[in-house]
């Protein structure tokens, strides 16, 4: 009597997976996701300036052109930086600290990234 009563009176336990909720949180080809921001840009070296990998530099925006400086010396210019890169620099009053991530001595270019 006791066990039959408990089984009949107790609510049934059904394990259910909300498939629609899982489907809403699964990314698809056309779903909006976190935007990918360009954090590096390629710059052309100016003159016979030696640049080292991992060197901390100053990045400035002047007339939609990114200038890479070491102290007061301009070491590189980037006339066609990505729009996201310039937007990040402009959000910090047009000046930011950067780091040289790669140097290509043959083509006289370097890649510079924004430091966090």
């Amino acid at each position: 009597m006791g066990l039959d009563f408990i089984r009949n009176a107790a609510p049934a336990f059904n394990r259910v997976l909300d498939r629609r909720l899982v489907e809403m949180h699964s990314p698809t080809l056309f779903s909006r996701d976190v935007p990918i921001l360009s954090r590096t840009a390629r710059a052309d070296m100016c003159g016979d300036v030696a640049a080292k990998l991992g060197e901390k530099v100053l990045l400035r925006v002047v007339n939609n052109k990114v200038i890479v400086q070491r102290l007061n010396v301009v070491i590189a210019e980037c006339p066609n930086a990505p729009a996201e890169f310039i937007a990040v620099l402009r959000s910090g009053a047009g000046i930011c600290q950067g780091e040289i991530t790669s140097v290509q001595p043959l083509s006289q270019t370097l890649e510079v990234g924004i430091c966090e």
Side-chain angles (χ1 to χ4, degrees), residues 75-90:
I75 61 172
E77 293 181 352
C78 184
N80 52 359
E84 302 93 14
F85 190 81
I86 293 176
V88 170
L89 288 176
R90 286 194 192 272

Side-chain angles (χ1 to χ4, degrees), residues 26-33:
S26 300
T28 62
L29 179 63
F30 298 108
S31 66
R32 300 193 105 184
D33 201 4

